[in-house]
Amino acid sequence: MILCAGESLIDLVPDNGCFRPLAGGSVYNTAIALGRLGEPVSYLWPISTDPFGDVLLQPLTQAGVHTGLCPRTDRLTTLAVVTLSDGEARYSFYDEGSAGRMLAPSDIPALPDAVQALFAGGISLVPDPCGAAIEALIARDGDRLPVMLDPNIRPFFIADPHAYRARLGRLIGRADIVKLSGDDLDWLYPGLAPDQAARQVLAQGPRLVLQTGGAAGARAHWAGETVSAAAIRTTVADTIGAGDTFNAGILASLRRQGVLGKQGLAAITADQVAAALTFGAQAAAITVSRPGANPPWAHEMPV
């Protein structure tokens, strides 16, 4: 089972001059995508008892995501107001004192034996106490479980860039797989070409650094020659949830190939990396072809 630990929230999406509430959040979207792909997946994040909490739980249940590790709380659900510019999503967050924001290291439970891998990232890494809680989870369990990290960096959400860079440095050093967009790499290493920046990240310890570039496709930096996969051509509705679905495709492919483990990743081959990139790109292409974070179900994926 893959455990996804990180934010869930309500996206308020423009709809004919109004805002329509949709369940979202970077790590939440990845959990949903994994469940829809038929993968065994569990989710860890506080869910509010407010009406939005039920909105968040329903898609998890429908996708078969286990939610037994999600504490319920009277604190309010995080809200993200979404604006779209040429199909690209931009966000404004309402997060102070929210259910997820107040997750503390002491709230992190012991993990069931069925958990085989950890996925974390998004804005849940930024503020405290929740950022410290996710870091504590990875510090406690990352030596025995493979960790995939997607910071999904939102500069406007980062009040203390120096502290966040330090946290990312610690987390990257513990991660086995790190996924970074071109924007992420530019924030981490301004002035460096994306490939050079990705190699800087690889030098910090991960087995795989996945560099995504939208229509430019994806590249994997690892011990061997760089592996590339082209983006799948499709008509783009918007890009909400695309990277999150890509993450799910990567994890699903690696698990199905039998290499989602410390030993498996240490012995991974170029063909296995390429297969994972291709599966992730195929899943992401379906998501971008329809509005909102709406990842594919298993029956919608190419055979």
Side-chain angles (χ1 to χ4, degrees), residues 125 130-140 166-167 170-171 174:
L125 302 179
C130 66
I134 298 300
E135 185 173 359
L137 169 66
I138 292 172
R140 187 190 70 187
R167 172 167 288 160
R170 295 189 297 271
L171 291 172
R174 287 186 170 273

Side-chain angles (χ1 to χ4, degrees), residues 8-281:
S8 57
L9 48 84
I10 295 295
D11 286 324
L12 298 175
V13 179
D15 185 4
N16 294 321
C18 299
F19 286 95
R20 181 162 50 102
L22 298 174
S26 177
V27 179
Y28 174 90
N29 290 339
T30 296
I32 295 289
L34 280 165
R36 289 188 178 189
L37 289 172
E39 292 298 299
V41 56
S42 183
Y43 184 55
L44 169 58
W45 196 247
I47 303 291
S48 177
T49 56
D50 68 13
F52 286 135
D54 294 332
V55 174
L56 290 168
L57 282 173
Q58 185 176 10
L60 291 167
T61 301
Q62 291 173 340
V65 179
H66 296 269
T67 58
L69 295 177
C70 295
R72 301 303 300 271
T73 171
D74 291 337
R75 294 185 179 275
L76 299 178
T77 301
T78 298
L79 303 179
V81 178
V82 182
T83 55
L84 299 175
S85 176
D86 297 325
E88 293 288 335
R90 297 290 183 266
Y91 301 85
S92 300
F93 293 95
Y94 296 80
D95 186 51
E96 194 67 36
S98 69
R101 174 75 171 266
M102 301 312 293
L103 178 72
S106 59
D107 297 326
I108 299 295
L111 301 186
D113 292 340
V115 174
Q116 299 170 303
L118 298 176
F119 173 79
I123 63 170
S124 52
L125 302 179
V126 181
D128 287 328
C130 66
I134 298 300
E135 185 173 359
L137 169 66
I138 292 172
R140 187 190 70 187
D141 295 301
D143 287 341
R144 65 183 182 87
L145 296 173
V147 175
M148 180 173 179
L149 184 73
D150 177 10
N152 198 13
I153 297 168
R154 308 291 187 187
F156 55 82
F157 193 75
I158 301 168
D160 187 343
H162 177 76
Y164 187 53
R165 286 177 185 276
R167 172 167 288 160
L168 281 186
R170 295 189 297 271
L171 291 172
I172 288 170
R174 287 186 170 273
D176 300 275
I177 307 168
V178 179
K179 195 281 291 261
L180 296 158
S181 68
D183 288 343
D184 294 336
L185 289 166
D186 186 58
W187 189 86
L188 285 169
Y189 295 100
L192 278 187
D195 278 7
Q196 291 178 305
R199 287 285 173 180
Q200 291 280 354
V201 176
L202 185 69
Q204 296 176 54
R207 294 287 185 180
L208 288 173
V209 174
L210 308 178
Q211 171 193 343
T212 58
R219 295 163 67 80
H221 303 269
W222 62 306
E225 293 292 323
T226 300
V227 178
S228 300
I232 308 299
R233 289 186 175 273
T234 188
T235 300
V236 177
D238 62 51
T239 61
I240 299 172
D244 310 326
T245 303
F246 176 84
N247 294 334
I250 291 290
L251 289 164
S253 178
L254 293 176
R255 194 193 72 81
R256 294 172 189 182
Q257 294 183 79
V259 293
L260 186 58
K262 294 285 189 180
Q263 292 182 344
L265 290 170
I268 198 167
T269 67
D271 286 345
Q272 289 168 330
V273 173
L277 288 179
T278 298
F279 194 75

